[in-house]
Amino acid sequence: MTTFQSSYLELEPRELVRFVLREAGQIDNDAVNPAELLDYLKLAYISFDFARELPPEIRQRVSSGQPRALISFGDRLVATDSSLSEPKSRFSVLHEIGHYLLPHHQHTLYVCDDLGMSAWTRLAFEQEANAFAAELLFQGERFSLEANSHPVTAAAVKQLAEKYKASFEATARRLVEKNFRPCMLVVFKQDSGRQVVDPNAAQSWTVKYCVSSPSFKLRFFDRVSGSIPAPLLARVAVPGRDIADSVVEKVQVGAATGGEARRVNAEFFWNTYNVFALLTPEAPDAQG
Ligand SMILES: [Zn+2]
């Protein structure tokens, strides 16, 4: 039996995803099984503590972030850091499979860090591997069809994340990116700066990044800035609160680039690391 060689196939990444999912017997599964993809591709897999056991010569290849996953082409080996959560481990393995299968990525060794595997990386190869991993994780077009048959709500994010065994954040992002309806996801992060020197300082959560559906971008804006008002934050960021247990408010938001502020429906929820807001037009039918 020959070894899979993607360079023999002149396929677009999307077609390559479908091909691999089908050949590895994953096309009918709800959640893709990374172990079966690795078996199909004849890649070995190990998990170990990168902080303690990553060889120094490999660590040197990472510039600023925390190394989280690697693929060694010569050894046919994928490894991930054992401190990663289950959804992050799954995503990291799929990301390394992306490096393995994408035709121009075939180097000897990739060591990928948390920054490269984040949604806001500017490194082209990391963006491509992330996009490929998301296509595998969400079964290509299948998730897109589902995204459009569900309401744009925290409850839908939770249901789809459980079905595809993906993180809430990756699922929320995909739900918005693949939506035909106008909607936006705003991800807030906690500012640590002031509280380091002033334990009495109020918590402040500001916009980390935004993702908008194509029609939201067209009709409204693609980026907002600012922070969550403290009273609202106190209602959303409650320890033990379920991700689907959200707070719905009408809020006034303006584009990060300025211009007219718009009133929108905002559903706030949190996963203990980030606060999220799903924005939808206040009255979709009234706005042409
Ligand atoms: Zn990478």
Side-chain angles (χ1 to χ4, degrees):
M1 195 166 164
T2 54
T3 305
F4 185 92
Q5 284 280 348
S6 64
S7 50
Y8 295 164
L9 301 165
E10 297 279 329
L11 293 178
E12 291 290 313
R14 187 170 294 179
E15 297 170 54
L16 190 53
V17 164
R18 272 193 68 76
F19 178 86
V20 171
L21 288 172
R22 193 171 55 239
E23 293 298 307
Q26 300 300 301
I27 208 94
D28 296 321
N29 290 359
D30 276 351
V32 71
N33 183 339
E36 289 180 15
L37 289 177
L38 290 166
D39 286 350
Y40 166 67
L41 296 169
K42 305 220 171 345
L43 295 170
Y45 168 71
I46 52 168
S47 163
F48 63 90
D49 183 349
F50 276 30
R52 284 176 37 208
E53 297 170 49
L54 199 64
E57 65 272 19
I58 291 184
R59 180 176 301 280
Q60 279 167 10
R61 299 176 74 109
V62 178
S63 49
S64 50
Q66 293 291 325
R68 293 295 189 218
L70 63 84
I71 179 166
S72 167
F73 283 71
D75 302 317
R76 306 191 64 80
L77 177 74
V78 169
T80 61
D81 181 4
S82 52
S83 73
L84 294 178
S85 65
E86 190 192 330
K88 280 196 174 157
S89 299
R90 288 167 53 77
F91 183 84
S92 300
V93 169
L94 300 176
H95 173 105
E96 298 308 326
I97 288 175
H99 284 313
Y100 182 70
L101 290 177
L102 286 163
H104 304 294
H105 288 228
Q106 285 152 12
H107 295 298
T108 52
L109 177 71
Y110 278 99
V111 184
C112 306
D113 62 25
D114 51 350
L115 303 176
M117 287 194 281
S118 69
W120 54 92
T121 182
R122 288 165 183 250
L123 301 171
F125 274 22
E126 292 300 84
Q127 286 174 350
E128 287 174 17
N130 287 338
F132 197 87
E135 284 284 319
L136 285 173
L137 184 62
F138 293 109
Q139 301 264 13
E141 287 302 298
R142 181 130 66 84
F143 180 92
S144 307
L145 293 171
E146 273 189 280
N148 285 286
S149 64
H150 279 74
V152 182
T153 60
V157 170
K158 183 182 178 188
Q159 188 189 338
L160 291 167
E162 286 171 353
K163 178 170 181 181
Y164 287 88
K165 288 193 176 24
S167 71
F168 293 124
E169 185 171 347
T171 307
R173 212 159 50 221
R174 195 81 172 173
L175 180 70
V176 167
E177 279 170 351
K178 296 294 175 185
N179 232 293
F180 298 127
R181 293 159 292 184
C183 52
M184 176 187 252
L185 173 72
V186 186
V187 181
F188 298 87
K189 70 169 190 318
Q190 186 171 8
D191 302 321
S192 50
R194 174 117 184 124
Q195 285 184 315
V196 171
V197 291
D198 179 3
N200 298 323
Q203 273 194 48
S204 163
W205 292 64
T206 52
V207 174
K208 184 177 173 188
Y209 70 93
C210 307
V211 179
S212 50
S213 70
S215 60
F216 192 94
K217 195 181 296 189
L218 203 65
R219 283 168 53 179
F220 303 104
F221 29 74
D222 65 355
R223 231 157 18 94
V224 297
S225 59
S227 56
I228 306 179
L232 179 60
L233 181 67
R235 289 167 60 203
V236 176
V238 179
R241 189 181 188 121
D242 189 85
I243 190 159
D245 189 4
S246 58
V247 174
V248 179
E249 289 276 314
K250 294 204 185 298
V251 295
Q252 190 88 3
V253 289
T257 49
E260 186 195 353
R262 303 294 292 252
R263 229 170 126 74
V264 295
N265 289 322
E267 183 180 14
F268 292 90
F269 53 102
W270 86 315
N271 66 353
T272 74
Y273 304 106
N274 295 119
V275 173
F276 303 92
L278 281 171
L279 309 184
T280 48
E282 189 179 17
D285 296 329
Q287 296 172 16

mmCIF file of all heavy atoms in Angstrom, residues 95-96 99 110 112 117 126 129, ligand 1:
data_model
loop_
_atom_site.group_PDB
_atom_site.id
_atom_site.type_symbol
_atom_site.label_atom_id
_atom_site.label_comp_id
_atom_site.label_asym_id
_atom_site.label_seq_id
_atom_site.Cartn_x
_atom_site.Cartn_y
_atom_site.Cartn_z
ATOM 1 N N HIS A 95 -4.495 20.773 12.870
ATOM 2 C CA HIS A 95 -3.623 21.833 12.340
ATOM 3 C C HIS A 95 -2.338 21.214 11.770
ATOM 4 O O HIS A 95 -1.905 21.572 10.664
ATOM 5 C CB HIS A 95 -3.318 22.813 13.487
ATOM 6 C CG HIS A 95 -2.313 23.878 13.161
ATOM 7 N ND1 HIS A 95 -2.672 25.193 12.917
ATOM 8 C CD2 HIS A 95 -0.960 23.831 13.080
ATOM 9 C CE1 HIS A 95 -1.568 25.896 12.680
ATOM 10 N NE2 HIS A 95 -0.512 25.103 12.777
ATOM 11 N N GLU A 96 -1.749 20.280 12.500
ATOM 12 C CA GLU A 96 -0.519 19.638 12.014
ATOM 13 C C GLU A 96 -0.809 18.786 10.774
ATOM 14 O O GLU A 96 0.007 18.717 9.857
ATOM 15 C CB GLU A 96 0.134 18.787 13.110
ATOM 16 C CG GLU A 96 0.575 19.567 14.353
ATOM 17 C CD GLU A 96 1.449 20.785 14.060
ATOM 18 O OE1 GLU A 96 2.238 20.732 13.097
ATOM 19 O OE2 GLU A 96 1.333 21.783 14.784
ATOM 20 N N HIS A 99 -0.579 21.050 7.890
ATOM 21 C CA HIS A 99 0.795 21.246 7.400
ATOM 22 C C HIS A 99 1.235 20.044 6.560
ATOM 23 O O HIS A 99 1.929 20.185 5.563
ATOM 24 C CB HIS A 99 1.767 21.406 8.572
ATOM 25 C CG HIS A 99 1.711 22.743 9.240
ATOM 26 N ND1 HIS A 99 1.721 23.940 8.555
ATOM 27 C CD2 HIS A 99 1.671 23.077 10.563
ATOM 28 C CE1 HIS A 99 1.682 24.945 9.420
ATOM 29 N NE2 HIS A 99 1.644 24.447 10.646
ATOM 30 N N TYR A 110 7.686 21.389 11.653
ATOM 31 C CA TYR A 110 6.936 22.569 12.087
ATOM 32 C C TYR A 110 6.784 22.487 13.590
ATOM 33 O O TYR A 110 6.363 21.449 14.117
ATOM 34 C CB TYR A 110 5.532 22.598 11.490
ATOM 35 C CG TYR A 110 5.468 23.131 10.086
ATOM 36 C CD1 TYR A 110 5.417 22.267 9.010
ATOM 37 C CD2 TYR A 110 5.446 24.505 9.842
ATOM 38 C CE1 TYR A 110 5.355 22.751 7.717
ATOM 39 C CE2 TYR A 110 5.382 24.995 8.545
ATOM 40 C CZ TYR A 110 5.335 24.111 7.490
ATOM 41 O OH TYR A 110 5.269 24.591 6.213
ATOM 42 N N CYS A 112 4.628 24.578 16.246
ATOM 43 C CA CYS A 112 3.593 25.611 16.205
ATOM 44 C C CYS A 112 3.287 26.076 17.617
ATOM 45 O O CYS A 112 3.163 25.264 18.540
ATOM 46 C CB CYS A 112 2.339 25.074 15.528
ATOM 47 S SG CYS A 112 2.723 24.389 13.891
ATOM 48 N N MET A 117 -1.401 29.393 16.278
ATOM 49 C CA MET A 117 -2.655 28.644 16.164
ATOM 50 C C MET A 117 -3.862 29.467 16.626
ATOM 51 O O MET A 117 -4.957 28.944 16.740
ATOM 52 C CB MET A 117 -2.554 27.334 16.939
ATOM 53 C CG MET A 117 -1.648 26.344 16.208
ATOM 54 S SD MET A 117 -1.779 24.660 16.805
ATOM 55 C CE MET A 117 -0.797 24.772 18.267
ATOM 56 N N GLU A 126 0.483 29.527 9.006
ATOM 57 C CA GLU A 126 -0.317 29.191 10.170
ATOM 58 C C GLU A 126 -1.799 29.446 9.892
ATOM 59 O O GLU A 126 -2.660 28.644 10.260
ATOM 60 C CB GLU A 126 0.149 29.987 11.395
ATOM 61 C CG GLU A 126 1.530 29.588 11.894
ATOM 62 C CD GLU A 126 1.589 28.120 12.311
ATOM 63 O OE1 GLU A 126 1.783 27.279 11.410
ATOM 64 O OE2 GLU A 126 1.425 27.808 13.493
ATOM 65 N N ALA A 129 -2.992 26.545 7.777
ATOM 66 C CA ALA A 129 -3.163 25.314 8.561
ATOM 67 C C ALA A 129 -4.366 25.430 9.503
ATOM 68 O O ALA A 129 -5.099 24.459 9.708
ATOM 69 C CB ALA A 129 -1.894 25.012 9.352
HETATM 70 ZN ZN ZN B 1 1.461 25.456 12.421
#
